[in-house]
Amino acid sequence: MRVVLALLAASAHAFVRPTLNVLPVTKRPALSPEMAGAIAKAKDAAGYEAIVQETMVKEDCTYEEAVERYNQYLFDPDGYSIIKMNEQIRDAGFNSYEEYFIAEKGQEAWDQRQGGLGGGKHPERND
């Protein structure tokens, strides 16, 4: 009889859902540049390595630097583009995009650009 009860109890636990220990959003691991690179490398290792090698040649950097740059690009393409644009502006001898733009196109073009951007979300209509 004890054996039957033990089997019934054991089989009943097979149908009980295990408790899930879900971490709160603030404690979940987030995607990082390294993780983005690992995912890309797992999907297409040859393509990943080809891009890293190409980056080494184009940007005259070491393998580790090229991996870091490509992983950053994979993680946040828009942010990487902004970083690269700022590097190019600094390399050209300017402290900011504003200085660069004014040197290239003039103060009047800058003022016109700023006026077009600061017009608000809903420009007035002339119906």
Side-chain angles (χ1 to χ4, degrees), residues 73-106:
Y73 169 77
L74 292 170
F75 177 67
D76 181 13
D78 294 333
Y80 183 79
S81 297
I82 292 169
I83 290 168
K84 292 303 289 179
M85 183 180 78
N86 288 334
E87 283 178 6
Q88 292 170 352
I89 289 169
R90 274 194 309 277
D91 290 347
F94 300 102
N95 291 323
S96 67
Y97 179 74
E98 180 180 359
E99 283 184 17
Y100 168 76
F101 190 95
I102 291 170
E104 293 289 317
K105 299 183 180 179

Side-chain angles (χ1 to χ4, degrees), residues 20-73:
L20 298 176
N21 294 331
V22 178
L23 292 173
V25 174
T26 56
K27 293 191 177 189
R28 290 183 192 161
L31 185 64
S32 67
E34 294 77 19
M35 291 168 72
I39 292 168
K41 198 170 187 177
K43 284 182 171 180
D44 181 15
Y48 178 88
E49 288 300 325
I51 292 172
V52 168
Q53 295 297 324
E54 184 179 320
T55 302
M56 288 172 60
V57 172
K58 280 186 178 179
E59 299 193 15
D60 190 31
C61 61
T62 66
Y63 179 82
E64 291 77 20
E65 291 171 329
V67 165
E68 185 178 317
R69 291 176 188 189
Y70 185 48
N71 289 350
Q72 181 63 43
Y73 169 77

